[in-house]
Amino acid sequence: MNDDMFNELLESVQQADSMIKGQSTAARITEFADPEVKAIRTKTGLSQSRFANLLGVSKRTLENWEQGRRHPTGPARALLKIVDADPEYALKALHG
């Protein structure tokens, strides 16, 4: 690692430290909208039970997502994004 790269990395760590201590704020904050679970399910034409089964979650979890009481995270959120982008292909791939 050369001096320029080291100094750039050190500056980044110092900036992160000042943010953690509350001495400065992030230059930008990126927020991602929650997926519209009901709209995504509607695209597939599946019932709540079948869609929940496809995603590997309980029907109750799916209901909570659709009604906004809970929000999908991690792999479920990524899978919903894939289904939203191309429902036909995603269903084909998931049904194997």
Side-chain angles (χ1 to χ4, degrees):
M1 179 183 296
N2 64 33
D3 287 343
D4 289 338
M5 290 175 70
F6 177 79
N7 290 332
E8 190 175 320
L9 181 58
L10 180 60
E11 183 182 350
S12 294
V13 170
Q14 290 169 339
Q15 288 173 353
D17 186 50
S18 69
M19 283 184 245
I20 290 169
K21 292 178 180 175
Q23 297 167 342
S24 67
T25 58
R28 66 177 169 230
I29 297 173
T30 305
E31 292 185 23
F32 298 97
D34 287 324
E36 294 290 331
V37 179
K38 188 171 185 176
I40 295 169
R41 180 177 61 82
T42 301
K43 281 184 179 181
T44 67
L46 297 175
S47 67
Q48 283 183 328
S49 296
R50 292 193 65 207
F51 192 65
N53 188 41
L54 178 79
L55 296 178
V57 300
S58 71
K59 182 179 177 221
R60 184 74 176 153
T61 296
L62 182 66
E63 290 170 352
N64 285 331
W65 291 346
E66 287 188 358
Q67 295 171 9
R69 289 189 297 260
R70 297 273 182 169
H71 305 284
T73 59
R77 188 180 183 116
L79 186 53
L80 284 165
K81 194 172 189 177
I82 292 167
V83 173
D84 189 29
D86 193 343
E88 184 179 336
Y89 181 78
L91 291 177
K92 221 182 270 186
L94 291 169
H95 281 293

